[in-house]
Amino acid sequence: MRSQLVERLTTPHGIDRYLEAFNPSWSVFETRARVTAVRRQTEDTVTLTLQPNANWQGFKAGQYVRLSARIDGKRTTRCFSPANSVHAVDGQIELTAKINPDGVLTRYLRDHAAPGMVVTLSEADGSFALPEQRPERILLISGGSGITPVMSMLRTLCDEGYEGQITFLHYANSAGGQIYADALRAIAGQHDNVELLRAYADGEGGELSGLFSHQQLAAAVPDYAEAETFLCGPPGLMDRVEATWKAEGLEDRLHMERFTAAPMALLEDSDAEGEVRFLKSERLATNDGDTLLNQAEAAGLRPDSGCRMGICHACTCVKTAGRVRDLRNGAISDAGEEEIQLCVSVPVGTVALDL
């Protein structure tokens, strides 16, 4: 099925287009997954259980995948971290999406996800993962929807019979808005080595209250300096935790995952010169100084995209010539051929894209 002969015989569509006519989850090259269950833990989240096809290679607890769906004919992608144990015997994975009011894909999943729906998955990626040699002491810190990768870590460790001490420190606006509240209570009740500490902004319930602080941490987890700490949450929480660890010289014991945009560099007026050449589609546009993703869409193209802030890599494209500025750090690329992310790249003079 992967041979060059089969590929030639099925040109221009490729073998996958014919296979999906029989079963949408069938694919020779892509990892596709069928939704087997949908539930809504809170008003602003949707949890999907997915059965991947045989191309799925698995994941490490803490890693993320890029989920893609076609919405109005356009492939849209976002990153999600599996929340299940890597040892799930049924081979299924669980993804929980927090609904972004301005987000295309999360709103689509909220409104349309149902058993039988088929989506596309990337292979698992990311360095935020449990090390192969499990630490003797573990501290998991999460906030809001950042709970998903550390939830996978907790479930994985419990399935392995991990005997070290685990403290799970979670921050949420309220007890009613906490994701995986029931699952966390059940795990803490079944495993004596798991300590659950919850802090709610509204002050109702939970073992702690208020925002993260060094004083709160020292009182609640006095041996935190001895633990390997895994952190995922909103920027404010992550900044405070990171500052605490840096102040005590513990950076090597803090492992973080961020799913928020990096600060964008200021654009320079001089960048808006030359042309943007879209080679495959044989289109030409005057460089207006906007991101290459926005300029491509303004030219009538529909490149794959997702987060639009440099995280999911869905809009990765080959630049064949010219220089671009990376909005995350202001760096200007070389003039040769290379892969770039359209959503965070602005052309500096004339640029040619394999698009």
Side-chain angles (χ1 to χ4, degrees):
M1 295 290 279
R2 294 176 180 265
S3 71
Q4 293 183 357
L5 174 61
V6 171
E7 191 65 22
R8 290 196 193 100
L9 291 173
T10 55
T11 299
H13 299 301
I15 184 62
D16 282 353
R17 287 286 296 277
Y18 292 92
L19 289 174
E20 67 186 22
F22 294 94
N23 186 323
S25 64
W26 287 359
S27 172
V28 172
F29 302 103
E30 287 188 330
T31 298
R32 296 177 183 168
R34 184 180 297 277
V35 176
T36 60
V38 179
R39 59 193 177 97
R40 290 164 176 80
Q41 301 186 53
T42 64
E43 293 182 355
D44 61 350
T45 64
V46 58
T47 298
L48 310 180
T49 304
L50 303 168
Q51 182 66 65
N53 65 13
N55 294 329
W56 174 243
Q57 299 297 309
F59 70 102
K60 294 180 180 179
Q63 288 187 309
Y64 65 88
V65 299
R66 291 180 283 273
L67 182 149
S68 302
R70 288 210 170 269
I71 304 172
D72 296 329
K74 180 180 177 181
R75 183 166 170 146
T76 304
T77 303
R78 266 207 61 186
C79 297
F80 301 101
S81 296
N84 58 288
S85 166
V86 300
H87 304 297
V89 294
D90 57 8
Q92 298 190 100
I93 61 175
E94 180 178 287
L95 305 178
T96 293
K98 183 176 177 62
I99 310 305
N100 179 350
D102 299 319
V104 175
L105 182 55
T106 56
R107 288 189 291 111
Y108 179 82
L109 294 175
R110 176 197 63 193
D111 297 338
H112 300 286
M117 176 183 177
V118 174
V119 297
T120 302
L121 300 177
S122 72
E123 290 304 325
D125 201 355
S127 59
F128 184 70
L130 282 176
E132 295 299 326
Q133 183 66 40
R134 305 306 195 214
E136 294 182 3
R137 174 74 170 97
I138 293 178
L139 171 59
L140 305 175
I141 306 177
S142 61
S145 59
I147 194 173
T148 53
V150 292
M151 192 70 193
S152 176
M153 293 178 177
L154 178 64
R155 285 169 159 172
T156 297
L157 291 167
C158 289
D159 280 353
E160 293 173 354
Y162 175 80
E163 296 181 349
Q165 182 66 26
I166 304 172
T167 299
F168 198 113
L169 176 54
H170 181 69
Y171 293 83
N173 289 329
S174 66
Q178 182 190 333
I179 309 170
Y180 291 107
D182 293 341
L184 274 178
R185 281 194 296 269
I187 290 173
Q190 295 166 4
H191 298 271
D192 293 337
N193 63 327
V194 176
E195 179 185 23
L196 176 59
L197 300 174
R198 296 157 294 183
Y200 300 124
D202 65 5
E204 299 293 330
E207 292 74 23
L208 307 174
S209 62
L211 301 177
F212 173 91
S213 69
H214 178 263
Q215 293 79 7
Q216 182 194 70
L217 176 70
V221 192
D223 64 341
Y224 68 90
E226 302 171 16
E228 290 295 321
T229 300
F230 299 86
L231 165 68
C232 186
L237 171 64
M238 297 191 69
D239 290 345
R240 287 189 293 273
V241 173
E242 184 177 17
T244 297
W245 261 249
K246 282 186 175 180
E248 300 193 24
L250 299 172
E251 300 101 311
D252 61 336
R253 287 184 171 270
L254 179 63
H255 314 276
M256 301 185 295
E257 182 69 285
R258 294 183 186 271
F259 282 128
T260 55
M264 295 295 183
L266 294 175
L267 299 181
E268 296 182 6
D269 294 340
S270 60
D271 290 350
E273 299 176 348
E275 303 167 332
V276 181
R277 298 171 181 171
F278 304 102
L279 302 181
K280 280 186 178 179
S281 54
E282 298 182 345
R283 300 191 187 189
L284 184 67
T286 300
N287 176 18
D288 63 7
D290 206 344
T291 67
L292 283 168
L293 178 58
N294 287 339
Q295 294 199 55
E297 292 175 338
L301 304 181
R302 306 186 76 178
D304 290 348
S305 64
C307 67
R308 305 184 79 93
M309 54 186 180
I311 295 174
C312 74
H313 294 267
C315 64
T316 298
C317 174
V318 174
K319 171 182 68 67
T320 60
R323 300 178 186 273
V324 298
R325 182 186 300 277
D326 189 324
L327 290 180
R328 294 166 296 186
N329 52 31
I332 297 178
S333 73
D334 293 331
E337 182 174 306
E338 64 180 328
E339 287 190 345
I340 62 170
Q341 292 171 257
L342 297 175
C343 69
V344 291
S345 297
V346 171
V348 180
T350 295
V351 168
L353 301 175
D354 188 24
L355 189 67

PDB file of all heavy atoms in Angstrom, residues 155-170:
ATOM      1  N   ARG A 155      -1.665   9.449  36.437  1.00  0.00           N
ATOM      2  CA  ARG A 155      -2.307   8.169  36.116  1.00  0.00           C
ATOM      3  C   ARG A 155      -1.282   7.122  35.702  1.00  0.00           C
ATOM      4  O   ARG A 155      -1.397   5.940  36.055  1.00  0.00           O
ATOM      5  CB  ARG A 155      -3.330   8.387  34.992  1.00  0.00           C
ATOM      6  CG  ARG A 155      -4.607   9.081  35.453  1.00  0.00           C
ATOM      7  CD  ARG A 155      -5.461   9.504  34.283  1.00  0.00           C
ATOM      8  NE  ARG A 155      -6.861   9.698  34.671  1.00  0.00           N
ATOM      9  CZ  ARG A 155      -7.789  10.217  33.878  1.00  0.00           C
ATOM     10  NH1 ARG A 155      -7.457  10.616  32.650  1.00  0.00           N
ATOM     11  NH2 ARG A 155      -9.033  10.345  34.294  1.00  0.00           N
ATOM     12  N   THR A 156      -0.272   7.540  34.959  1.00  0.00           N
ATOM     13  CA  THR A 156       0.766   6.610  34.525  1.00  0.00           C
ATOM     14  C   THR A 156       1.537   6.062  35.719  1.00  0.00           C
ATOM     15  O   THR A 156       1.780   4.849  35.829  1.00  0.00           O
ATOM     16  CB  THR A 156       1.726   7.304  33.544  1.00  0.00           C
ATOM     17  OG1 THR A 156       1.001   7.680  32.369  1.00  0.00           O
ATOM     18  CG2 THR A 156       2.881   6.403  33.164  1.00  0.00           C
ATOM     19  N   LEU A 157       1.929   6.942  36.623  1.00  0.00           N
ATOM     20  CA  LEU A 157       2.674   6.507  37.806  1.00  0.00           C
ATOM     21  C   LEU A 157       1.854   5.549  38.659  1.00  0.00           C
ATOM     22  O   LEU A 157       2.374   4.544  39.165  1.00  0.00           O
ATOM     23  CB  LEU A 157       3.081   7.733  38.631  1.00  0.00           C
ATOM     24  CG  LEU A 157       4.138   8.644  37.996  1.00  0.00           C
ATOM     25  CD1 LEU A 157       4.210   9.967  38.739  1.00  0.00           C
ATOM     26  CD2 LEU A 157       5.509   7.963  38.001  1.00  0.00           C
ATOM     27  N   CYS A 158       0.574   5.846  38.812  1.00  0.00           N
ATOM     28  CA  CYS A 158      -0.279   4.965  39.613  1.00  0.00           C
ATOM     29  C   CYS A 158      -0.431   3.606  38.960  1.00  0.00           C
ATOM     30  O   CYS A 158      -0.419   2.570  39.644  1.00  0.00           O
ATOM     31  CB  CYS A 158      -1.643   5.621  39.831  1.00  0.00           C
ATOM     32  SG  CYS A 158      -1.599   7.039  40.950  1.00  0.00           S
ATOM     33  N   ASP A 159      -0.560   3.563  37.640  1.00  0.00           N
ATOM     34  CA  ASP A 159      -0.671   2.284  36.939  1.00  0.00           C
ATOM     35  C   ASP A 159       0.604   1.456  37.063  1.00  0.00           C
ATOM     36  O   ASP A 159       0.568   0.227  36.991  1.00  0.00           O
ATOM     37  CB  ASP A 159      -0.978   2.512  35.457  1.00  0.00           C
ATOM     38  CG  ASP A 159      -2.447   2.812  35.209  1.00  0.00           C
ATOM     39  OD1 ASP A 159      -3.243   2.717  36.164  1.00  0.00           O
ATOM     40  OD2 ASP A 159      -2.808   3.145  34.060  1.00  0.00           O
ATOM     41  N   GLU A 160       1.731   2.140  37.231  1.00  0.00           N
ATOM     42  CA  GLU A 160       3.015   1.444  37.355  1.00  0.00           C
ATOM     43  C   GLU A 160       3.306   0.990  38.779  1.00  0.00           C
ATOM     44  O   GLU A 160       4.331   0.336  39.021  1.00  0.00           O
ATOM     45  CB  GLU A 160       4.148   2.368  36.889  1.00  0.00           C
ATOM     46  CG  GLU A 160       4.107   2.666  35.398  1.00  0.00           C
ATOM     47  CD  GLU A 160       5.126   3.706  34.974  1.00  0.00           C
ATOM     48  OE1 GLU A 160       5.790   4.281  35.865  1.00  0.00           O
ATOM     49  OE2 GLU A 160       5.277   3.932  33.762  1.00  0.00           O
ATOM     50  N   GLY A 161       2.426   1.344  39.716  1.00  0.00           N
ATOM     51  CA  GLY A 161       2.676   0.985  41.099  1.00  0.00           C
ATOM     52  C   GLY A 161       3.789   1.802  41.725  1.00  0.00           C
ATOM     53  O   GLY A 161       4.486   1.317  42.644  1.00  0.00           O
ATOM     54  N   TYR A 162       3.966   3.011  41.255  1.00  0.00           N
ATOM     55  CA  TYR A 162       5.004   3.893  41.787  1.00  0.00           C
ATOM     56  C   TYR A 162       4.824   4.051  43.303  1.00  0.00           C
ATOM     57  O   TYR A 162       3.727   4.302  43.789  1.00  0.00           O
ATOM     58  CB  TYR A 162       4.902   5.254  41.097  1.00  0.00           C
ATOM     59  CG  TYR A 162       5.837   6.319  41.616  1.00  0.00           C
ATOM     60  CD1 TYR A 162       7.166   6.349  41.209  1.00  0.00           C
ATOM     61  CD2 TYR A 162       5.384   7.306  42.483  1.00  0.00           C
ATOM     62  CE1 TYR A 162       8.028   7.351  41.663  1.00  0.00           C
ATOM     63  CE2 TYR A 162       6.235   8.303  42.945  1.00  0.00           C
ATOM     64  CZ  TYR A 162       7.559   8.317  42.530  1.00  0.00           C
ATOM     65  OH  TYR A 162       8.392   9.303  42.983  1.00  0.00           O
ATOM     66  N   GLU A 163       5.928   3.917  44.055  1.00  0.00           N
ATOM     67  CA  GLU A 163       5.847   3.925  45.515  1.00  0.00           C
ATOM     68  C   GLU A 163       6.373   5.206  46.146  1.00  0.00           C
ATOM     69  O   GLU A 163       6.264   5.393  47.361  1.00  0.00           O
ATOM     70  CB  GLU A 163       6.600   2.720  46.076  1.00  0.00           C
ATOM     71  CG  GLU A 163       5.981   1.382  45.668  1.00  0.00           C
ATOM     72  CD  GLU A 163       6.720   0.199  46.245  1.00  0.00           C
ATOM     73  OE1 GLU A 163       7.838   0.402  46.793  1.00  0.00           O
ATOM     74  OE2 GLU A 163       6.207  -0.933  46.156  1.00  0.00           O
ATOM     75  N   GLY A 164       6.939   6.112  45.338  1.00  0.00           N
ATOM     76  CA  GLY A 164       7.426   7.362  45.894  1.00  0.00           C
ATOM     77  C   GLY A 164       6.277   8.301  46.243  1.00  0.00           C
ATOM     78  O   GLY A 164       5.129   8.067  45.892  1.00  0.00           O
ATOM     79  N   GLN A 165       6.589   9.384  46.940  1.00  0.00           N
ATOM     80  CA  GLN A 165       5.572  10.347  47.341  1.00  0.00           C
ATOM     81  C   GLN A 165       5.259  11.289  46.177  1.00  0.00           C
ATOM     82  O   GLN A 165       6.152  11.830  45.542  1.00  0.00           O
ATOM     83  CB  GLN A 165       6.046  11.152  48.547  1.00  0.00           C
ATOM     84  CG  GLN A 165       5.029  12.160  49.068  1.00  0.00           C
ATOM     85  CD  GLN A 165       3.776  11.513  49.648  1.00  0.00           C
ATOM     86  OE1 GLN A 165       3.832  10.363  50.098  1.00  0.00           O
ATOM     87  NE2 GLN A 165       2.662  12.224  49.624  1.00  0.00           N
ATOM     88  N   ILE A 166       3.953  11.475  45.900  1.00  0.00           N
ATOM     89  CA  ILE A 166       3.489  12.399  44.874  1.00  0.00           C
ATOM     90  C   ILE A 166       2.596  13.441  45.535  1.00  0.00           C
ATOM     91  O   ILE A 166       1.644  13.096  46.238  1.00  0.00           O
ATOM     92  CB  ILE A 166       2.667  11.676  43.783  1.00  0.00           C
ATOM     93  CG1 ILE A 166       3.467  10.529  43.151  1.00  0.00           C
ATOM     94  CG2 ILE A 166       2.220  12.681  42.709  1.00  0.00           C
ATOM     95  CD1 ILE A 166       2.624   9.666  42.208  1.00  0.00           C
ATOM     96  N   THR A 167       2.898  14.713  45.299  1.00  0.00           N
ATOM     97  CA  THR A 167       2.003  15.789  45.710  1.00  0.00           C
ATOM     98  C   THR A 167       1.442  16.431  44.459  1.00  0.00           C
ATOM     99  O   THR A 167       2.194  16.803  43.552  1.00  0.00           O
ATOM    100  CB  THR A 167       2.726  16.850  46.553  1.00  0.00           C
ATOM    101  OG1 THR A 167       3.242  16.238  47.736  1.00  0.00           O
ATOM    102  CG2 THR A 167       1.763  17.973  46.943  1.00  0.00           C
ATOM    103  N   PHE A 168       0.132  16.523  44.383  1.00  0.00           N
ATOM    104  CA  PHE A 168      -0.547  17.133  43.241  1.00  0.00           C
ATOM    105  C   PHE A 168      -1.150  18.444  43.722  1.00  0.00           C
ATOM    106  O   PHE A 168      -2.101  18.468  44.495  1.00  0.00           O
ATOM    107  CB  PHE A 168      -1.641  16.195  42.717  1.00  0.00           C
ATOM    108  CG  PHE A 168      -2.102  16.531  41.321  1.00  0.00           C
ATOM    109  CD1 PHE A 168      -1.848  15.678  40.268  1.00  0.00           C
ATOM    110  CD2 PHE A 168      -2.810  17.693  41.072  1.00  0.00           C
ATOM    111  CE1 PHE A 168      -2.273  15.972  38.988  1.00  0.00           C
ATOM    112  CE2 PHE A 168      -3.234  18.009  39.793  1.00  0.00           C
ATOM    113  CZ  PHE A 168      -2.964  17.145  38.741  1.00  0.00           C
ATOM    114  N   LEU A 169      -0.591  19.554  43.257  1.00  0.00           N
ATOM    115  CA  LEU A 169      -1.016  20.892  43.654  1.00  0.00           C
ATOM    116  C   LEU A 169      -1.715  21.548  42.464  1.00  0.00           C
ATOM    117  O   LEU A 169      -1.083  21.820  41.445  1.00  0.00           O
ATOM    118  CB  LEU A 169       0.202  21.706  44.094  1.00  0.00           C
ATOM    119  CG  LEU A 169       0.007  23.173  44.478  1.00  0.00           C
ATOM    120  CD1 LEU A 169      -1.063  23.330  45.546  1.00  0.00           C
ATOM    121  CD2 LEU A 169       1.330  23.761  44.943  1.00  0.00           C
ATOM    122  N   HIS A 170      -3.027  21.795  42.605  1.00  0.00           N
ATOM    123  CA  HIS A 170      -3.803  22.314  41.473  1.00  0.00           C
ATOM    124  C   HIS A 170      -4.526  23.595  41.843  1.00  0.00           C
ATOM    125  O   HIS A 170      -5.089  23.715  42.940  1.00  0.00           O
ATOM    126  CB  HIS A 170      -4.831  21.279  41.000  1.00  0.00           C
ATOM    127  CG  HIS A 170      -5.630  21.749  39.820  1.00  0.00           C
ATOM    128  ND1 HIS A 170      -5.077  21.906  38.569  1.00  0.00           N
ATOM    129  CD2 HIS A 170      -6.934  22.120  39.710  1.00  0.00           C
ATOM    130  CE1 HIS A 170      -6.010  22.337  37.734  1.00  0.00           C
ATOM    131  NE2 HIS A 170      -7.136  22.489  38.393  1.00  0.00           N
TER     132      HIS A 170
END
